[in-house]
Amino acid sequence: MEHITLLLGIVIVTALVFDFTNGFHDTANAMATTISTGALKPKTAVAMSAVLNLVGAFLSVEVAKTISSGLVNEEGIQPEVIFAALVGAILWNLVTWLVGLPSSSSHALMGGLVGAAIASAGIGAVNGGVVITKVLIPAIAAPLVAGLAAMLATKATYKLGASTTAKASAKGYRSGQIASAGLVSLAHGTNDAQKTMGIITLALVTGGALAPGSNPPVWVIVSAGLAIAMGTYLGGWRIIRTMGKGLTDLQPQQGFAAQTSAASVILASSNLGFSLSTTHSCSGAVMGAGLGRKGGVVRWSTATRMFVAWGLTLPAAAAVSAGAELVTRQGDWGVAAVAVFLIASCLAIWVISRRQVISHHNVNEIETADAEPAGVVTTAMAAVTPPPTGAAAEDGDLKATILAPTAPATGGETPAAPATAL
């Protein structure tokens, strides 16, 4: 193993902590729809996702190379800068987890790295072209492409299954969901675990333990894969609830379409070296699947809060990391102060989260006070659009029952009775 100093050791441990938070923060990307439709039990789903995240970490290093040698200039960057970047990324992950909002761990890491690098060496330390082409453009394109693909796939699944009985269709698509969820988990490990690999590799290069341009060592790949797998198994139940139940109501056909579309986008971007946000891809796919079903709606109030979080991720993480870098540059006491601040903040967030515990026992339950209206436009669309026939109106998902009169009126005719929604 390369020569590791104490500071480098602190940076590596902090990077693995970030990887752990990335795992439980992004479990929803792979398993929220599978859990919400009942295709898998919650604990079974996160265990399967954890194993496949670990496997995916070994499939490619293209994204890791983008992080370690493309986003910022290695010259002049010290390990303290990497540490400060991780502080901003970890805190943003935990804050958004606390409020149950799916946000991008990838962009939190990017923002933290950019903010700390600028605070340390100026704007020239950041490769603007790489940020635009491999971070910002994919951030905008991913949810749109995944959403459109999921919407078209959802329409196709309902059309192809129109002649199939509701029970058989639901059973088949639930099985398909398990396979597609596994593919998303594999893609998540391939894309997101690499970001921590890239950060650790960058730290080793800046600390003189690796030559510039080196690929991640094997021990870095293994440790990053294990960290994200353990975080995934813990389960980010707050975000799973939001993505599985808060954005839209999903049926198995929609869940299958959303997961397959998201996995395709993520795997394609990983092979191209794009540091794609799996959260953006999966959230866009869920919304696209919601719009693809006749009578389906998207709760735009929840989606709007999520979009705001997406827009704040880069600048918020950058600001926190820049402040942390200003303290760490003061020397050993600065590094210690930032470490204490990070630990204290993490403990405080955990204590606050205990006020309302969300676990695998209640992840699919939405309290009345937390339920959000679909909105005027989407409610109106649902009211005038007939629900799908056949497989679509299955499994108790049609929540309105039409009550007909039990006896004919005088004269032998049955008067028309108003529909009563239960």
Side-chain angles (χ1 to χ4, degrees), residues 55-118:
V55 174
F58 292 89
L59 297 184
S60 172
V61 294
E62 291 302 316
V63 174
K65 289 191 288 187
T66 297
I67 301 292
S68 64
S69 59
L71 190 63
V72 298
N73 296 320
E74 297 168 349
E75 297 81 6
I77 299 297
Q78 300 299 318
E80 293 91 336
V81 176
I82 312 301
F83 176 60
L86 290 166
V87 170
I90 290 171
L91 290 179
W92 183 255
N93 270 358
L94 292 178
V95 168
T96 49
W97 164 78
L98 180 64
V99 297
L101 284 178
S103 69
S104 173
S105 298
S106 308
H107 288 180
L109 182 59
M110 304 292 179
L113 190 57
V114 168
I118 291 176

Side-chain angles (χ1 to χ4, degrees), residues 2-3 8 79 202-211:
E2 300 79 5
H3 177 65
L8 273 180
L202 179 59
L204 293 171
V205 170
T206 59
L210 275 182

Side-chain angles (χ1 to χ4, degrees), residues 160-227:
L160 293 173
S163 60
T164 308
T165 63
K167 185 176 181 180
S169 180
K171 182 179 179 180
Y173 278 110
R174 283 196 176 104
S175 299
Q177 268 195 283
I178 296 173
S180 61
L183 191 59
V184 174
S185 296
L186 195 69
H188 183 259
T190 304
N191 196 281
D192 278 42
Q194 288 189 58
K195 291 155 190 167
T196 300
M197 297 177 205
I199 282 292
I200 295 176
T201 303
L202 179 59
L204 293 171
V205 170
T206 59
L210 275 182
S214 299
N215 286 337
V218 174
W219 68 266
V220 171
I221 298 174
V222 172
S223 58
L226 289 173

Side-chain angles (χ1 to χ4, degrees), residues 9-397:
I10 293 174
V11 173
I12 291 169
V13 170
T14 308
L16 294 177
V17 171
F18 166 78
D19 206 23
F20 180 82
T21 66
N22 189 355
F24 76 73
H25 193 279
D26 289 1
T27 307
N29 296 339
M31 291 300 170
T33 59
T34 304
I35 292 171
S36 68
T37 61
L40 282 175
K41 294 180 179 179
K43 293 298 288 184
T44 304
V46 296
M48 176 181 129
S49 183
V51 172
L52 291 173
N53 264 284
L54 177 59
V55 174
F58 292 89
L59 297 184
S60 172
V61 294
E62 291 302 316
V63 174
K65 289 191 288 187
T66 297
I67 301 292
S68 64
S69 59
L71 190 63
V72 298
N73 296 320
E74 297 168 349
E75 297 81 6
I77 299 297
Q78 300 299 318
E80 293 91 336
V81 176
I82 312 301
F83 176 60
L86 290 166
V87 170
I90 290 171
L91 290 179
W92 183 255
N93 270 358
L94 292 178
V95 168
T96 49
W97 164 78
L98 180 64
V99 297
L101 284 178
S103 69
S104 173
S105 298
S106 308
H107 288 180
L109 182 59
M110 304 292 179
L113 190 57
V114 168
I118 291 176
S120 174
I123 192 73
V126 178
N127 295 323
V130 174
V131 173
I132 293 173
T133 59
K134 291 200 172 184
V135 179
L136 295 182
I137 291 178
I140 297 172
L144 296 177
V145 173
L148 179 61
M151 183 173 67
L152 296 176
T154 299
K155 291 180 180 294
T157 57
Y158 279 118
K159 186 174 182 180
L160 293 173
S163 60
T164 308
T165 63
K167 185 176 181 180
S169 180
K171 182 179 179 180
Y173 278 110
R174 283 196 176 104
S175 299
Q177 268 195 283
I178 296 173
S180 61
L183 191 59
V184 174
S185 296
L186 195 69
H188 183 259
T190 304
N191 196 281
D192 278 42
Q194 288 189 58
K195 291 155 190 167
T196 300
M197 297 177 205
I199 282 292
I200 295 176
T201 303
L202 179 59
L204 293 171
V205 170
T206 59
L210 275 182
S214 299
N215 286 337
V218 174
W219 68 266
V220 171
I221 298 174
V222 172
S223 58
L226 289 173
I228 200 169
M230 288 189 291
T232 300
Y233 182 71
L234 182 66
W237 304 113
R238 294 171 179 272
I239 299 176
I240 289 175
R241 172 184 282 188
T242 298
M243 192 174 289
K245 293 291 186 180
L247 280 175
T248 185
D249 296 317
L250 293 177
Q251 296 177 350
Q253 294 91 328
Q254 295 168 281
F256 173 75
Q259 289 171 319
T260 304
S261 302
S264 301
V265 171
I266 296 167
L267 286 173
S269 69
S270 296
N271 289 329
L272 294 173
F274 292 141
S275 184
L276 187 72
S277 167
T278 56
T279 300
H280 289 189
S281 301
C282 293
S283 299
V286 168
M287 288 187 284
L291 295 174
R293 176 172 67 89
K294 290 182 179 180
V297 296
V298 172
R299 296 182 180 89
W300 292 110
S301 54
T302 301
T304 300
R305 295 206 324 270
M306 185 177 68
F307 295 151
V308 171
W310 290 3
L312 290 176
T313 297
L314 277 167
V320 173
S321 296
E325 197 281 330
L326 294 176
V327 179
T328 57
R329 73 169 62 173
Q330 306 305 316
D332 293 343
W333 74 265
V335 173
V338 172
V340 170
F341 170 74
L342 176 62
I343 295 171
S345 299
C346 293
L347 289 175
I349 292 172
W350 182 81
V351 170
I352 294 172
S353 73
R354 296 298 89 191
R355 297 176 181 175
Q356 183 183 9
V357 177
I358 300 174
S359 68
H360 62 281
H361 297 294
N362 62 352
V363 66
N364 281 334
E365 299 175 6
I366 298 293
E367 299 293 337
T368 304
D370 296 332
E372 302 215 18
V376 175
V377 176
T378 49
T379 301
M381 290 174 59
V384 300
T385 306
T389 59
E394 49 81 25
D395 214 22
D397 287 317

